Each structure stands twice: as structure tokens, then as C-alpha cells.
Amino acid sequence: MSDLVAAGAPELPEGYFYRVRPTHLTAGFFVDVRRRRRFFGSSEMSSVVVYPSEYISAEEAIVRACRSAHARWEAEEKERKSYRDAERFLGDHDPRGGR
């Protein structure tokens, strides 16, 4: 990840990392933001497909995809936080005390 950050990709918080992998169907790549699990493995938080042939260099394509995946992950994280905040209002709310 340090190579991507040095090239201009946003830095991720502790426990998160970028994974670049081939799409297997076309000449593109998936760029994922992933979170390490406690004991083994990782879970995908956000994913973007990038086609390096559309950019000047492969490095620029991957870095832009990292920025896009990071922005998408932040937006989804904000939405998850809003949902968690709203969960406290679930249930019945009777102003007369529930008779």
C-alpha cells in the first residue's frame, strides 16, 4: 500500500488496505478497499473496476481507481453510521406511555 500512497492514492486507516486484482474477463483490474479480520482473511468494503488502456499509464489508472474506491468507501461508511444512529429510534413511540 505504501507504493500506492506514494503515487498519490489516499492513505487508509489502520486495519484497511487496497487490493488490486485482475477481472479475468476483460483487460481490467478490480481495486478494492478491504478490512483485515481479527484472526484471518479480510472483507471487501468497496470495489472499483479500472481499465488501464483508458489512461496515460497503468499507475495513473490504479491510483485514480484507489481514489474512487476510497471516496465510495467513505460515502458508504457515512451512510452506515447514519443508519446506526437512526437505529436507536426503532420501535414504538407512544407519547402517552404505551397504554
Side-chain angles (χ1 to χ4, degrees), residues 16 29 31 38 43-44 79 96:
Y16 292 85
F29 295 93
V31 176
R38 186 171 180 175
S43 57
E44 182 180 303
E79 187 174 326
R96 288 185 273 154

Side-chain angles (χ1 to χ4, degrees), residues 52-86:
S53 61
E54 298 175 4
Y55 295 89
I56 295 170
S57 69
E59 180 180 320
E60 178 189 354
I62 299 297
V63 168
R64 284 194 182 189
C66 287
R67 289 181 187 145
S68 180
H70 182 265
R72 183 178 292 177
W73 169 68
E74 281 186 327
E76 290 170 356
E77 191 65 28
K78 187 182 288 186
E79 187 174 326
R80 280 189 287 272
K81 183 183 180 317
S82 296
Y83 183 79
R84 285 191 303 265
D85 290 345

Side-chain angles (χ1 to χ4, degrees), residues 3-4 13 22 35 40 51-53 68 74-75 83 85 88 93 99:
D3 294 338
L4 289 173
R35 181 181 62 193
F40 63 90
Y51 300 99
S53 61
S68 180
E74 281 186 327
Y83 183 79
D85 290 345
R88 66 186 176 132
H93 300 277
R99 290 186 178 235

